């Protein structure tokens, strides 16, 4: 990855439906060169997909709760399966494989305590977690 790839990713994070010609205009490449780079990023696994985020499901940009959730997976659950699940949850900003008593650390942002409760229940029921520990960010 180089600076142009990073610029492409920055734009696509904001607007995943942007046309190749508009994306190219914003980063200073031709339409064909931009399309080739996006396809290469997709093939290499840097870009794994695009999704629609509904207004009711979107994480709160400011306000709400920011938290970190330690997750211990069921031993029968595969890490790749868990990571695929996290990519489908818009409130999960990052999922990091860690050492220690837990398998993953999730960085999340939710609208409030009810949304946090739903996410924690889903992490266990759908994500395959056996144990979680949540820490709220106070900043």
């Amino acid at each position: 990855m180089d600076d142009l790839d990073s610029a492409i990713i920055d734009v696509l994070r904001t607007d995943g439906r942007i046309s190749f010609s508009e994306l190219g205009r914003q980063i200073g490449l031709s339409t064909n060169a931009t399309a080739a780079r996006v396809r290469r990023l997709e093939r290499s696994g840097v870009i794994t997909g695009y999704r629609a985020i509904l207004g009711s499901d979107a994480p709160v940009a400011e306000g709400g709760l920011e938290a970190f959730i330690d997750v211990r997976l069921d031993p029968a659950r595969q890490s790749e399966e868990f990571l695929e699940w996290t990519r489908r949850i818009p409130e999960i900003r990052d999922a990091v494989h860690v050492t220690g008593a837990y398998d993953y650390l999730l960085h999340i942002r939710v609208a409030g305590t009810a949304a946090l409760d739903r996410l924690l229940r889903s992490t266990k029921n759908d994500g395959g977690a056996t144990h979680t520990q949540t820490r709220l960010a106070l900043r």
Side-chain angles (χ1 to χ4, degrees), residues 35-104:
R37 279 183 174 259
V38 170
R39 288 185 183 110
R40 182 179 46 79
L41 291 167
E42 291 170 343
R43 277 192 311 274
S44 68
V46 173
I47 296 174
T48 60
Y50 303 86
R51 63 182 174 190
I53 300 173
L54 304 177
S56 60
D57 295 335
V60 179
E62 295 297 324
L65 298 175
E66 181 179 26
F68 298 90
I69 304 172
D70 292 306
V71 176
R72 185 176 308 139
L73 293 179
D74 182 314
R77 185 71 170 212
Q78 298 294 318
S79 286
E80 283 305 314
E81 185 181 358
F82 177 74
L83 286 174
E84 278 298 316
W85 175 81
T86 64
R87 290 181 190 115
R88 294 189 305 267
I89 309 300
E91 293 86 0
I92 298 176
R93 300 223 169 151
D94 198 8
V96 180
H97 194 220
V98 294
T99 62
Y102 291 90
D103 300 304
Y104 282 90

Side-chain angles (χ1 to χ4, degrees), residues 56 91 111-123 125-126:
S56 60
E91 293 86 0
T113 57
L116 176 60
D117 182 53
R118 282 191 303 276
L119 179 60
L120 289 170
R121 289 174 190 271
S122 180
T123 302
N125 295 332
D126 306 321

